Amino acid sequence: MNRWADDKELYSEIAEYAGDSADALFSLLHNWQSSLPSLRDTCTYKDIIEQSRKSRSYSKQWLSIVATGIAAVIVIGIVLFNRFVEKPSQAPAICKAAIGNVLVQRGHEFINLTNGMEVLQSDTIVCDKGSMAVIEIGSATLRIDENSKVSIDSLQKTQALSLAASMDKGILYATVQKLQKGDSILVKTKTAVAGIRGTSFLVKSDSKSTRLFVIDGKVLLSPRLQDSKQEDITGVVVDGGKSCVIDTRTLRNIQKAITEKKMPLHEAIQQSISVSIADDKTMKVLHALNQDVSAQVVINEDKPSSINDLYPITSITPYRNDIVVTTNDSIYYCENDRIQWMHEYNPVSKPYVWDNFIVFQSKMLQALDTKGNSKWEIEIEGSIIGDNIVPIRDKLVVPTTKGIIYFISKNGTILHKVNCDAPFVTRPVSFGQMVCVVTADGYLYAIDVVLGVSIYRKYIGKVLDNGIFANYPEMYIVTPASIQKIHLLRDEIIWKYDNSGIVTAVEHPQGILFATANGTLGKIAANGTLEWQINPGKEIRSLQYTPKGIVCIAENVFYQISDAGEVLWSYTLPALNSEILSVTPKTVYIRLGNSFLALRL
């Protein structure tokens, strides 16, 4: 609203004090008003006139000169202020990842937090069980874990970052780059305030306690005392590799020391709060978490970390009653679903358990024992795709994207290296004393395992990924248009089954299972007869045979099917594009986006 709209009233008031200078002053103020509309609600004509009334050295004949000078100074000052002083504005806070059920309380409204969504000042983020959110705010990245509630109390960014967050309950992991001069980042809980000085740390809190783990840098942890101004309260500095706890008992001890022992506040704090070295296991997991705040482990020191805490799982490999799990940047060994050890590798291939060795590719081809100790590592050319590492006799056969097959002994020695000149599209399969594989340019190779030389090469055309299955001296070859059984030694076709649109196939003890693009799942017997076919739905994938029956996913439904083609049971999955990670005798592990689900068979 324009408070100066009544020009007649304004002119009469100016004339009373300005006399002959009223016209000039009236024009000057009008020009000022039009050039600086943003000031209309901050200063009025009456304010200026009232100031002139109070002036002791006031003279009507000089009023126009004084007013002109004041106005000019104000205009110049405002121009310079707007040019050189940046007004505070809210820093962009963006959701980097939201997993599970994550809500934002904005006023009285609750909305779902999604990837890429902006988080505003005064928002409260609520993560339910099994949920997680990662928020990027300037130089800070916050990960809010399950069963947590975090509020963004203050969020501003000019030349400096000002961030204050409060947490009623839960677990908050944060990594903050080196703070610039003037930056301020605070995390408040019911019992403490953590002042950040450029670091990575984890805070766990509830209504009665706050537990802090610092990975790198320093954190100033201060108690929250009743009837005291927080800015007057000092704290203890927690360095990297150390931890600290402030609970309600700590607060009582501080208050007691002040009242009974008449001890100064800073002395009572230093005496009552202890800083200790964090345990090795927690720090190892926290260091792994520090590599990527959104892609690792939920920490809870009250119970051992389990497979359910890993994120995102990329592969699961059974080993007896245990499992080997990989994420984007680590490998874990889990016993009874509890993590026993982990290593910070970047696994390229799915691990293969070879007797008591866990073999996988990272920067090198690695071999670990089941205790996590390194046994050997070998440099190889190219990458191993998926689970294409296979054992044949007493050797490990390793095909790479460079078209090279390596034959490796148990002590990590490369026995043979065979170049097939094109990437492989199938896993190596054992064929008597040979290993067979198909390349992307359509050639079938047979390589002697003992000699390490190619003794057979024939063009067979395009085959499916992992589309050859051997039963010496015969072999199944699956293409997008047919399944055929050949006698490799006599180089003749035993039978051929034509069906267009085959997308995947898997070997069965009595034949071949296959799926088509239109949603047909069928079984071909060893003699080439179509025994049965059903239509569970389109997008059949993750087809596998197990001793307990056939398992697969069609669209977003998991199926277990008998050898006779009968659906034993099904389960509707909460997400599309799910895939089976692994199947054990009792459990099937399914990836759902960035999380996973375990179903009992």
Side-chain angles (χ1 to χ4, degrees):
M1 181 184 73
N2 185 354
R3 298 178 186 169
W4 301 346
D6 191 345
D7 289 346
K8 291 182 180 179
E9 179 184 357
L10 167 65
Y11 187 87
S12 62
E13 291 195 38
I14 290 177
E16 179 181 355
Y17 296 98
D20 296 336
S21 304
D23 290 336
L25 182 57
F26 184 85
S27 299
L28 174 66
L29 292 176
H30 254 295
N31 291 337
W32 186 27
Q33 171 189 349
S34 61
S35 64
L36 297 171
S38 62
L39 296 182
R40 292 175 185 171
D41 289 334
T42 61
C43 185
T44 69
Y45 286 159
K46 292 183 179 181
D47 295 332
I48 296 174
I49 293 170
E50 185 62 25
Q51 291 299 319
S52 68
R53 279 177 175 170
K54 297 177 180 178
S55 175
R56 294 180 180 177
S57 58
Y58 161 91
S59 173
K60 288 185 179 181
Q61 67 253 35
W62 291 103
L63 180 59
S64 61
I65 299 173
V66 174
T68 302
I70 292 173
V73 170
I74 292 174
V75 172
I76 293 171
I78 291 171
V79 171
L80 292 176
F81 181 84
N82 286 335
R83 178 173 297 180
F84 296 110
V85 180
E86 185 180 357
K87 294 181 179 179
S89 61
Q90 184 168 319
I94 303 299
C95 174
K96 182 181 176 183
I99 308 301
N101 185 27
V102 183
L103 297 176
V104 175
Q105 182 180 355
R106 189 166 290 169
H108 298 293
E109 184 182 9
F110 284 87
I111 56 178
N112 290 319
L113 182 65
T114 56
N115 293 355
M117 179 176 165
E118 184 174 357
V119 177
L120 306 178
Q121 180 172 295
S122 301
D123 280 354
T124 297
I125 301 165
V126 182
C127 292
D128 285 348
K129 183 178 180 181
S131 302
M132 183 193 76
V134 179
I135 312 296
E136 287 188 345
I137 307 172
S139 61
T141 302
L142 308 181
R143 168 174 163 160
I144 305 165
D145 281 338
E146 63 176 351
N147 302 320
S148 300
K149 184 177 181 181
V150 175
S151 298
I152 307 299
D153 300 328
S154 174
L155 177 58
Q156 289 186 343
K157 180 75 167 66
T158 55
Q159 298 299 324
L161 171 66
S162 176
L163 168 65
S166 59
M167 179 167 61
D168 290 343
K169 63 173 184 176
I171 299 174
L172 173 69
Y173 176 88
T175 178
V176 184
Q177 298 174 9
K178 187 175 181 180
L179 298 183
Q180 304 299 318
K181 185 177 180 180
D183 285 357
S184 172
I185 298 180
L186 298 176
V187 177
K188 304 175 184 177
T189 68
K190 293 288 187 182
T191 59
V193 176
I196 314 308
R197 300 183 174 183
T199 184
S200 298
F201 66 97
L202 178 140
V203 176
K204 180 185 179 184
S205 77
D206 53 34
S207 60
K208 296 182 179 181
S209 68
T210 299
R211 186 179 296 271
L212 170 73
F213 291 92
V214 179
I215 303 171
D216 302 303
K218 299 175 183 294
V219 174
L220 178 66
L221 191 66
S222 306
R224 294 193 73 175
L225 301 172
Q226 294 180 353
D227 304 323
S228 297
K229 293 182 179 179
Q230 191 62 41
E231 56 268 23
D232 297 332
I233 299 176
T234 60
V236 294
V237 175
V238 185
D239 294 312
K242 296 185 178 180
S243 65
C244 184
V245 178
I246 296 180
D247 53 20
T248 51
R249 181 180 178 183
T250 308
L251 301 183
R252 287 196 299 268
N253 289 341
I254 295 172
Q255 296 283 9
K256 186 177 180 180
I258 294 171
T259 2
E260 296 182 2
K261 299 180 181 179
K262 307 299 181 184
M263 186 179 291
L265 176 60
H266 69 277
E267 289 185 19
I269 289 174
Q270 297 298 323
Q271 185 184 81
S272 303
I273 303 175
S274 61
V275 177
S276 59
I277 297 175
D279 66 276
D280 289 340
K281 182 177 179 180
T282 300
M283 290 308 297
K284 277 185 179 179
V285 183
L286 283 174
H287 273 293
L289 180 60
N290 193 36
Q291 303 302 310
D292 185 342
V293 71
S294 67
Q296 278 286 344
V297 185
V298 177
I299 305 299
N300 188 340
E301 70 280 1
D302 294 336
K303 65 177 183 179
S305 298
S306 74
I307 184 176
N308 299 293
D309 299 320
L310 300 181
Y311 161 83
I313 292 176
T314 56
S315 75
I316 295 178
T317 303
Y319 171 64
R320 297 177 183 170
N321 294 323
D322 305 332
I323 54 176
V324 180
V325 181
T326 62
T327 61
N328 285 340
D329 53 12
S330 296
I331 183 168
Y332 301 84
Y333 187 88
C334 300
E335 181 180 320
N336 296 323
D337 286 348
R338 291 288 183 265
I339 299 171
Q340 300 302 310
W341 53 259
M342 58 84 64
H343 282 293
E344 296 174 28
Y345 292 114
N346 180 22
V348 175
S349 68
K350 181 178 179 179
Y352 182 81
V353 179
W354 191 23
D355 289 339
N356 292 322
F357 285 0
I358 300 166
V359 182
F360 64 98
Q361 185 185 16
S362 182
K363 292 181 180 178
M364 309 276 280
L365 185 66
Q366 311 272 156
L368 308 177
D369 64 18
T370 54
K371 301 296 183 183
N373 303 311
S374 178
K375 305 307 293 182
W376 49 259
E377 53 183 38
I378 303 171
E379 187 171 353
I380 60 175
E381 297 178 48
S383 301
I384 305 165
I385 299 175
D387 57 351
N388 283 351
I389 300 175
V390 297
I392 294 180
R393 298 195 172 184
D394 59 344
K395 301 173 181 65
L396 204 61
V397 181
V398 180
T400 74
T401 53
K402 293 288 187 180
I404 298 173
I405 286 187
Y406 292 88
F407 294 84
I408 299 170
S409 68
K410 283 196 174 180
N411 63 5
T413 303
I414 296 177
L415 302 173
H416 307 296
K417 174 182 173 183
V418 181
N419 193 342
C420 296
D421 300 320
F424 301 108
V425 294
T426 67
R427 300 180 68 198
V429 297
S430 178
F431 193 78
Q433 191 175 306
M434 296 176 289
V435 57
C436 291
V437 69
V438 178
T439 55
D441 54 2
Y443 282 92
L444 171 65
Y445 285 83
I447 301 168
D448 188 281
V449 175
V450 177
L451 302 176
V453 294
S454 175
I455 59 176
Y456 179 91
R457 180 176 183 264
K458 180 182 179 181
Y459 181 77
I460 61 172
K462 181 180 179 180
V463 301
L464 296 183
D465 292 347
N466 298 326
I468 60 170
F469 310 98
N471 185 13
Y472 186 84
E474 298 167 344
M475 177 178 290
Y476 295 101
I477 297 176
V478 184
T479 74
S482 69
I483 301 172
Q484 51 187 303
K485 187 176 184 179
I486 65 173
H487 194 293
L488 193 61
L489 300 184
R490 294 201 298 260
D491 197 16
E492 66 179 21
I493 297 176
I494 299 174
W495 54 258
K496 183 178 181 181
Y497 172 80
D498 293 318
N499 192 330
S500 60
I502 299 175
V503 292
T504 188
V506 67
E507 190 175 14
H508 186 279
Q510 288 85 41
I512 295 290
L513 300 166
F514 70 94
T516 67
N518 62 9
T520 297
L521 178 65
K523 179 186 175 185
I524 302 289
N527 61 4
T529 304
L530 177 64
E531 289 193 350
W532 54 262
Q533 65 179 17
I534 59 174
N535 275 83
K538 293 183 179 179
E539 299 183 27
I540 298 176
R541 57 192 179 279
S542 295
L543 178 63
Q544 294 188 42
Y545 171 78
T546 76
K548 289 192 174 182
I550 303 151
V551 295
C552 70
I553 294 175
E555 297 179 283
N556 67 324
V557 180
F558 168 83
Y559 292 93
Q560 184 176 358
I561 301 165
S562 72
D563 282 352
E566 177 189 0
V567 175
L568 301 176
W569 61 278
S570 63
Y571 181 86
T572 301
L573 302 170
L576 295 171
N577 301 320
S578 305
E579 64 173 313
I580 295 174
L581 286 170
S582 184
V583 180
T584 70
K586 295 182 179 179
T587 308
V588 56
Y589 296 95
I590 300 174
R591 176 163 50 204
L592 308 169
N594 289 322
S595 59
F596 86 100
L597 175 72
L599 298 177
R600 293 295 180 188
L601 292 176

